[in-house]
Amino acid sequence: MNRKITCIIFALAYAVSSLTFTSCESELGALPENAKVDGNTVLDAATARIALNGVYYRFANVSAGDNITQWRNNERLPAQLSGYMTYGYGTGAGAPEDNQMLSSAGQYWMYGYGIINASNSLIQAMDQLPSGRIPQSERELIEGEARFLRAYANFKLLSFYGQWFDHSSKYGVLLRTEPVTISNIAKARSSVAESYQAIVADLDYAIAHAPDKNAKFYATKAAAKSLKARVLMCRSQAGDYAEVIKLADEVINQGDYSLEPLAKDLFRTKGATSPEVILSVVPQPNQAAYYYNRTRQFWPRASSLYCATEGLRNLLVTDPRQAWMIGSFRTAYANYFFTKYVAEGSTPTEITETAYAIRLTELYLLKAEAILRNNGAVSDAKTILKNIGTHNGLTDFTTLDGLTDRADVLRYTYQEVSKCLVAEDGQEWLALLRLPLETVTSLRPKLIGKEQYILPVPTNEFAENPAFGEQNPGYTIDL
């Protein structure tokens, strides 16, 4: 393989931006300034902050070509796999709506490792500075945010490419703690237990050192606690559920966040200014005016269209959320406009282009689920579910009151997660998969085995990294 091709593959596969590959830049073209995470230009706290912005640039998945965020990738696929969204013009063989995973293999791979490599470049650059060049207190704040972002990316990769549901599994993620170079590209994947250990260690550092307060599109201690609660709910080892409850209470009780009186207002009028938002993804300048933006992929259509399914509409029958989340029926394709983010007949704005990584509703729902799984009082979980329901316009809780079996309340909790958090950051998919397989199959009849819980590792990884290890069970390596 000649040197030019090698440069291109490394840049595309790992989003490398350090000067290790500076000779590639003239061939690939320069990224916008806020995309750069160049370790050799981190000289002090100010330049470290610039590099940190580059890590956030990757977290928001900003397209260098059109300068818009591509967060809809995080929103759409989990909702399709869960049966709540569909491609607007019909589906075919290999569609995620049928829980076929092959066509989505690369969905999060480049995204996740782009964040990780940028985070590692920044952390290594700060490590290599002379002592005292960045004051220790400032260094810890910056590293706290960088490690939060690395943890977010590693958990995204684990939850889509690793057997996160089996703590004893050898099929974890490829953990990297230094920038990728030709000399270290060969590396084996880690086990699930090792993956969780690394993710939690990063989050514990962020909880200790990230800022107490920050702009809504930057990480905080509260965001780190929230993400740790999300991670521990999936890890589900001894003591994890109790820790989820503790973390949720800390975020809920710290007083900086509160539930919207009516959740609809968050999406339609308030956006990231809502006191419920813990971490958001704000649009780039002029994104609302760009024709192929996120909003127009939901209504009326642009390069693509993603719609609500009959399954989501049925989930919301008798629920006041149906009126504003489900739009007109599209007879030719038997689906509905998905109007959670944009009302039919409206135009894109900064609010309709805003995405949500973490908001307070998730913490309440994680706490309710943890109470149920930790053999806590069912009545306590019901109280939380009623509180969340009230903030979503519900007034009749007859169905919930009639449930006495813990498993039935867990299923109700999953349904509430789906209603509240569908098409935000994949929590409806993970909540579904935390149910017993027989329950999962009863809800998604084509989802019949746990090999369908995760995606196959992209074949490029095996071509460029011979040390990686085995492909995920149920798939083959086709080079």
Side-chain angles (χ1 to χ4, degrees), residues 421-444:
L421 303 177
V422 63
E424 293 190 30
D425 194 22
Q427 300 320 300
E428 70 275 35
W429 176 236
L430 293 179
L432 170 65
L433 301 185
R434 289 196 293 265
L435 297 172
L437 177 59
E438 58 270 22
T439 304
V440 172
T441 303
S442 72
L443 295 167
R444 297 286 288 141

Side-chain angles (χ1 to χ4, degrees), residues 333-370:
Y333 298 99
N335 54 43
Y336 301 81
F337 283 117
F338 181 71
T339 55
K340 178 175 181 175
Y341 294 110
V342 55
E344 290 183 49
S346 60
T347 57
T349 66
E350 182 174 338
I351 290 175
T352 68
E353 286 294 304
T354 298
Y356 307 93
I358 304 173
R359 58 189 181 93
L360 194 62
T361 289
E362 181 185 350
L363 272 295
Y364 278 98
L365 292 171
L366 285 170
K367 181 180 177 181
E369 183 177 347

